[in-house]
Amino acid sequence: MHPMVKPALRRAWRNLQYVQFGVTPAHAVVLGPVDTTTGSLIGLLDGTRGMELLRAEAAALGLAEGRLEALIDRLADAGLIADASVRPPGGRAGGPPDRAEAELDPVRADLASLSVVHRAPDGAVRTLAARRALRVQVRGAGRVGAAVAALLSAAGVGRVEVLDSGTVAPWEVSPAGLPAEAVGERRAVAARRLVRRAAPGGRTPGEARAAPGDGGGEPGLSLVVVTPRDGLGAYVPDPLPAEAWLAAGTPHLYAGVLEATGVVGPLVLPGGTACAGCMQRERVDREPVWPRLPAQWRSGAAHPLPACDVGLATAVAGLAAAHALAFLDGDLPSSVGARWEVSLPFLEWRTARVAAHPACPCGARPGPEGERVSAVRSAQDTMAG
């Protein structure tokens, strides 16, 4: 083991005895009392030394035998220790990374972030390694969907498939998604290339590709991200396509931009949280005439030029990808059973719970407590599978 105080957390002494690791309240930890000699030993925990060398350094500082181990245990209990000898997938084994390797590591910043979120010394590396075994399907390759696919691939998800038809239109390109040279190309082909380019270090063609057909219920699918190009299918989710995901137990997250409003969520855990059918039934309870409206919006030809602000689409894609990754890493983000919305020009994010409907056959239990319990169990079942 090469113990290292997690470098992502900035360190500052509050006084002569207490040291604070981290700046933001969500992750900052205050440790103390710490004497000057122990503070010097903390400074040596930078991942460049193994335990044998650290014991020699501790003895040279005049610390009693066992003080080093006690300090490391104390820091580890606070979630402040990482093991620099544990390398990320594809990295060099057998000790801490050399300077050249660390500077060129495309996932170095992601590992630093994961080390803050996951307390175990090897939590960041294990989480990143687990992402390589996951398969995610993104349905829609517009400004939101293409960016979500690229972000998931860049974050280390092993297989990102993109489903869409037709060819790339000029107004669908963006700095975060499909490039200008993809205009006129088949969306599936352009998305496959984007996903491959975004992957850390690149991948072989078999690891990241656009799926040729509908695979919503295929075994091994960890998550479906629904990102329709016109945004309507995210803002007003159609229960019909979701039936296959519900039947297969496939979690799915809605995200998109409609007119000048962006939406992320809900993240549906089949049998645990409210689904598209629940949302439709709840809306009909409030507005009996509601079914007429989406029926008209969905009928006929697709909208010729959906409004999709590039900045708003990028913000929505970023939030959707972050929520997807949190779920894939084993957590329950705030989009579980809820949806986030933001509208131009004021860009004030707001959230609303999405309640399970008692008449919906999806199996979700009405009520916040019932939904939370069901969501936890559903997520555990999903991760176990």
Side-chain angles (χ1 to χ4, degrees):
M1 180 181 183
H2 286 67
M4 171 176 60
V5 176
K6 293 180 177 179
L9 297 172
R10 291 169 172 82
R11 191 184 321 167
W13 289 86
R14 298 178 66 91
N15 52 39
L16 294 179
Q17 290 188 308
Y18 287 84
V19 58
Q20 178 170 321
F21 300 86
V23 178
T24 64
H27 302 107
V29 175
V30 177
L31 193 70
V34 177
D35 57 64
T36 304
T37 306
T38 303
S40 299
L41 184 57
I42 290 176
L44 299 177
L45 301 178
D46 59 2
T48 63
R49 302 167 177 85
M51 291 299 295
E52 185 176 350
L53 182 55
L54 283 171
R55 290 189 186 98
E57 298 274 12
L61 290 171
L63 293 172
E65 185 177 351
R67 284 286 299 276
L68 170 66
E69 288 79 3
L71 174 62
I72 292 175
D73 289 344
R74 188 180 179 190
L75 292 168
D77 289 342
L80 298 173
I81 286 291
D83 185 356
S85 66
V86 180
R87 302 300 300 130
R92 178 178 58 83
D98 57 35
R99 183 178 300 275
E101 181 186 8
E103 290 177 352
L104 295 174
D105 188 352
V107 295
R108 188 183 183 198
D110 300 89
L111 281 169
S113 178
L114 288 170
S115 75
V116 174
V117 176
H118 299 279
R119 296 169 59 86
D122 62 346
V125 173
R126 286 192 292 106
T127 299
L128 190 63
R131 288 180 181 178
R132 289 170 65 94
L134 301 177
R135 173 172 164 246
V136 176
Q137 186 179 96
V138 180
R139 301 179 69 93
R143 279 183 163 176
V144 174
V148 168
L151 289 168
L152 294 178
S153 182
V157 176
R159 183 174 171 185
V160 181
E161 303 171 350
V162 185
L163 298 186
D164 210 337
S165 59
T167 58
V168 179
W171 54 84
E172 292 172 347
V173 304
S174 77
L178 297 174
E181 55 266 28
V183 172
E185 190 175 11
R186 293 191 62 82
R187 291 191 179 93
V189 175
R192 179 170 60 244
R193 185 170 57 251
L194 175 69
V195 166
R196 187 181 298 117
R197 285 179 176 176
R203 290 197 183 102
T204 60
E207 285 182 301
R209 61 179 183 269
D214 186 353
E218 292 181 19
L221 191 58
S222 306
L223 177 68
V224 171
V225 187
V226 187
T227 55
R229 278 178 279 117
D230 68 355
L232 181 63
Y235 193 81
V236 186
D238 187 351
L240 188 59
E243 289 180 357
W245 308 324
L246 293 171
T250 304
H252 43 287
L253 170 67
Y254 295 94
V257 172
L258 179 66
E259 297 165 354
T261 293
V263 61
V264 175
L267 170 53
V268 179
L269 306 182
T273 61
C275 68
C278 293
M279 297 174 66
Q280 178 173 274
R281 287 171 171 82
E282 189 278 334
R283 190 65 181 263
V284 172
D285 288 346
R286 290 189 289 115
E287 298 181 64
V289 301
W290 172 253
R292 300 176 185 174
L293 302 180
Q296 295 175 69
W297 293 330
R298 294 175 184 140
S299 64
H303 197 288
L305 183 59
C308 189
D309 178 85
V310 65
L312 180 59
T314 304
V316 168
L319 186 63
H323 279 244
L325 289 168
F327 172 72
L328 293 170
D329 291 344
D331 296 307
L332 293 179
S334 60
S335 55
V336 172
R339 61 191 293 170
W340 287 87
E341 287 189 25
V342 63
S343 299
L344 297 174
F346 301 113
L347 297 170
E348 295 177 346
W349 284 98
R350 52 197 179 274
T351 183
R353 299 299 303 173
V354 179
H357 196 280
C360 186
C362 70
R365 295 165 54 187
E369 188 60 30
E371 284 190 24
R372 184 69 182 177
V373 172
S374 297
V376 170
R377 291 175 179 170
S378 179
Q380 290 172 339
D381 292 343
T382 299
M383 293 305 158

